[in-house]
Amino acid sequence: MKNRLLNFLSVILATALGVFSVISVNAETLVTWEDFPDYVFYVDISDSQGNSTYAVSSYVGENPDPVIPTSAHGHSILRLGEKCFYNNSTVKSITMHDNMTHIRKWAARSCSNLNNVYYSKNMVVIDDYAFANNPVMDSALLRNTVINTIGVGAYSTDPMLKYVAFPNTLKVIGEKAFLQTNMEKIVIPHGVEEIGKRAFSSSTALKTIYIPSTVKKIDQYAFYLSDNVTVYCQINSYAQEFCETYNINYKLITAEDYPSNILADVNNDKVLNIRDVTTMQIELAKGESTDFLSQNCDVNADCKFDVNDVTYLQKYLAKVYDSFPY
């Protein structure tokens, strides 16, 4: 109660000074700042000293490619709030700064033109149905985040979703997380422990999924109605036991054959070097690379594999660039 009273009084004072205006005071205090006209914020976390951080409550702008501000008048903006972009037909991309940590429920659900999302490197959680029912979203480039949980239905019913670059910090893939997507091949990184109910179900395009030995729990309906899938796993792993129990096709591989989660490690030797550049050049010269190769070689994050990716990797190896975009 004391914190809420302090927040309310600060809003009244700031309003009197013409800095920002109150939109509503209910369970949350919603405010707009004059120099951030495209956003409505709310006080997300407030400590005993009255210091607070903000979350985005809604986006009211017309820019199709919004960049979430780092802060507003001393208040850090750390989260995308619940339904903040919900049912938006204008937005084509969303860029988050690297201090953001959470994406709340339904944050960008049912956005008819949303294709690209540039995630914070400190993102920890993608909540339930955050990016569900987005008809043109074709990828989720999470590799450079520190996400540990992908929530229930987070990317479900995204019919164009063909590629997800998972982070090595991931532990849990939630229920229905990738229900009814268009992915053909999935590599789950080492460290994942749990795959939830119907996580990859009703995905008829799915043919190949690699499941590491770290996975210790898979719901029996994880691949329900994904009848074309073959699981690649190690001998005596939980994944092998799961496949045998529920009559799912599988093939055994060695630990050395498990695909690398390193971007552009096309020869799967777990290091990036000039040999990967050469392999990429050879594949480009062939003019017919597999879908997965194209995805794993999309070094510059423009959703295609071409000579620009080779150039980017060369510059990275030469230390002209110190990182990849994702």
Side-chain angles (χ1 to χ4, degrees):
M1 176 65 78
K2 179 180 177 182
N3 289 344
R4 186 161 295 176
L5 179 60
L6 287 173
N7 289 334
F8 179 75
L9 291 175
S10 67
V11 169
I12 297 300
L13 176 60
T15 302
L17 295 174
V19 178
F20 65 89
S21 59
V22 179
I23 293 179
S24 173
V25 180
N26 291 310
E28 298 162 344
T29 299
L30 304 183
V31 294
T32 57
W33 296 87
E34 292 180 354
D35 46 350
F36 295 99
D38 290 347
Y39 299 92
V40 177
F41 303 107
Y42 68 87
V43 177
D44 191 37
I45 300 174
S46 185
D47 63 24
S48 60
Q49 305 302 314
N51 301 313
S52 57
T53 62
Y54 280 4
V56 177
S57 177
S58 61
Y59 177 70
V60 294
E62 297 181 359
N63 181 359
D65 303 298
V67 178
I68 307 301
T70 304
S71 62
H73 295 269
H75 300 275
S76 296
I77 300 166
L78 302 183
R79 292 171 173 81
L80 291 185
E82 189 170 323
K83 295 186 178 181
C84 60
F85 286 95
Y86 172 64
N87 208 26
N88 186 300
S89 60
T90 300
V91 169
K92 296 180 179 179
S93 71
I94 301 171
T95 300
M96 300 172 222
H97 62 80
D98 281 341
N99 290 331
M100 301 192 77
T101 58
H102 287 71
I103 301 173
R104 296 203 183 280
K105 295 178 181 179
W106 288 45
R109 179 173 181 161
S110 300
C111 296
S112 57
N113 290 301
L114 179 61
N115 186 19
N116 296 320
V117 178
Y118 302 97
Y119 300 86
S120 162
K121 291 181 180 179
N122 288 302
M123 190 60 60
V124 177
V125 174
I126 296 179
D127 218 332
D128 300 352
Y129 299 100
F131 297 102
N133 196 33
N134 288 328
V136 300
M137 180 174 285
D138 59 10
S139 63
L141 306 181
L142 308 173
R143 195 190 309 266
N144 278 353
T145 70
V146 290
I147 290 169
N148 54 49
T149 300
I150 297 177
V152 173
Y155 294 91
S156 60
T157 59
D158 288 353
M160 299 299 291
L161 187 69
K162 296 196 70 174
Y163 179 53
V164 177
F166 292 104
N168 290 323
T169 53
L170 188 63
K171 299 297 182 184
V172 176
I173 299 174
E175 179 180 339
K176 301 180 184 178
F178 299 97
L179 170 79
Q180 292 181 8
T181 60
N182 198 35
M183 291 185 286
E184 297 179 8
K185 183 173 182 177
I186 299 169
V187 178
I188 297 177
H190 289 282
V192 171
E193 299 172 355
E194 180 178 343
I195 300 174
K197 184 177 181 180
R198 301 192 69 184
F200 300 100
S201 72
S202 301
S203 299
T204 56
L206 184 59
K207 297 178 181 178
T208 302
I209 184 166
Y210 286 80
I211 300 179
S213 57
T214 56
V215 171
K216 301 302 180 185
K217 182 178 180 180
I218 306 173
D219 186 89
Q220 66 178 2
Y221 296 107
F223 306 105
Y224 180 64
L225 296 180
S226 295
D227 298 330
N228 299 317
V229 68
T230 297
V231 172
Y232 289 75
C233 58
Q234 292 174 234
I235 191 169
N236 297 326
S237 64
Y238 178 85
Q240 179 187 1
E241 178 185 341
F242 169 83
C243 291
E244 291 174 349
T245 300
Y246 296 106
N247 196 30
I248 294 175
N249 292 329
Y250 74 92
K251 293 184 178 180
L252 295 176
I253 59 172
T254 65
E256 291 74 22
D257 289 333
Y258 201 90
S260 169
N261 198 37
I262 301 172
L263 182 63
D265 180 22
V266 289
N267 60 3
N268 203 39
D269 63 359
K270 311 303 187 286
V271 294
L272 283 181
N273 52 37
I274 193 64
R275 288 190 291 273
D276 295 298
V277 173
T278 301
T279 302
M280 289 170 69
Q281 290 172 329
I282 291 171
E283 293 300 325
L284 277 177
K286 290 180 181 178
E288 49 179 47
S289 61
T290 65
D291 183 59
F292 183 72
L293 180 63
S294 297
Q295 295 160 351
N296 201 42
C297 292
D298 181 20
V299 179
N300 62 356
D302 64 355
C303 296
K304 59 184 178 181
F305 172 41
D306 56 24
V307 68
N308 293 322
D309 296 298
V310 179
T311 301
Y312 199 109
L313 179 57
Q314 289 173 321
K315 290 184 176 181
Y316 173 80
L317 292 173
K319 303 189 183 304
V320 175
Y321 299 140
D322 58 5
S323 65
F324 294 134
Y326 71 98

